[in-house]
């Protein structure tokens, strides 16, 4: 019940296209859903996060869509750029009880010019 | 601002050797974490410290020990390294959220 399932494992997108990464969870107590971005040789860094009281959050070209009833959330990268090539991790937490995160297994995104 | 600093960046050990991975943060965060990252497995929590003097096991604590020396420093020790512990190790700190990560220690055990 603590798992966060992430797909796809890898994604290849052409420059200007839309990249979509999906995550699903089982624990209905989760109330915080961040996405982290990791470049080669670096640690992950927070990209964008959402709480379950909203269905969508947008920051520039990055959007989180959240479906509480389906227990799914996704990251959309509009107008994908080669500089977006990185590994993306979704995560979830129950912030009322802990600040620990449960991470998905990661998606390696490659954006080709 | 240094953020989260991990040392060393790379290390090769022989099976059975011991070593300590060091982590320090300069952001005055209460919580600190040790993760390991393996291909296809994501980030798995090894140990966690909510504050100075407290530590808790995470998902994969076997074979590891930790010390929260003070608010700034959180070290991870491998007492008797095994090839299964070959991984990239990340330290993170947080005031609550988000977590701030170091750039990792790449550890190979032969």
């Amino acid at each position: 019940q603590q798992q966060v399932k992430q797909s796809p494992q890898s994604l290849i997108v052409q420059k200007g296209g839309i990249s979509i990464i999906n995550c699903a969870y089982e624990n209905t107590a989760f109330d915080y859903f961040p996405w982290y971005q990791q470049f080669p040789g670096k640690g992950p860094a927070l990209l964008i996060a959402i709480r379950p009281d909203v269905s969508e959050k947008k920051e520039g070209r990055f959007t989180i869509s959240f479906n509480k009833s389906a227990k799914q959330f996704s990251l959309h990268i509009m107008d994908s750029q080669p500089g977006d090539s990185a590994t993306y991790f979704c995560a979830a937490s129950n912030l009322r009880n802990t600040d620990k995160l449960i991470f998905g297994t990661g998606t390696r995104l490659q954006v080709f010019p | 601002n240094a953020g989260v600093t991990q040392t060393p960046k790379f290390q090769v050990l022989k099976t059975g050797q011991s070593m300590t991975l060091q982590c320090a943060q300069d952001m005055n965060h209460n919580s600190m974490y040790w993760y390991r990252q393996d291909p296809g497995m994501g980030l798995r929590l090894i140990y966690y410290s909510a504050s100075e003097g407290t530590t808790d096991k995470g998902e994969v604590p076997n074979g590891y020990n930790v010390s929260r020396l003070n608010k700034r420093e959180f070290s991870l020790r491998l007492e008797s390294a095994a090839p299964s512990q070959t991984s990239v190790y990340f330290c993170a700190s947080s005031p609550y959220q988000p977590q701030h990560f170091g750039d990792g220690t790449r550890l190979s055990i032969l």
Side-chain angles (χ1 to χ4, degrees), chain A residues 36 38 41 43-44 89 95 99, chain B residues 31 33 37 48 96-97 99 102:
Chain A
Y36 280 76
Q38 183 183 28
F89 293 96
L95 290 189
D99 52 354
Chain B
S31 298
Y33 315 79
Q37 183 177 17
Y48 160 70
Y96 196 58
Q97 295 297 335
Q99 294 183 16

Side-chain angles (χ1 to χ4, degrees), chain A residues 43-107:
Chain A
L46 179 69
L47 182 63
I48 187 173
I50 197 168
R51 301 296 295 266
D53 52 342
V54 295
S55 60
E56 185 175 282
K57 183 174 181 180
K58 185 176 181 179
E59 290 184 2
R61 295 184 294 106
F62 300 91
T63 300
I64 300 179
S65 297
F66 184 78
N67 186 329
K68 189 173 182 178
S69 61
K71 292 185 285 186
Q72 295 176 348
F73 58 110
S74 59
L75 177 68
H76 296 238
I77 306 173
M78 310 300 288
D79 187 26
S80 299
Q81 299 295 313
D84 297 330
S85 297
T87 300
Y88 293 82
F89 293 96
C90 63
S93 181
N94 176 2
L95 290 189
R96 286 165 291 186
N97 289 333
T98 181
D99 52 354
K100 289 187 279 188
L101 293 171
I102 307 296
F103 283 90
T105 51
T107 296

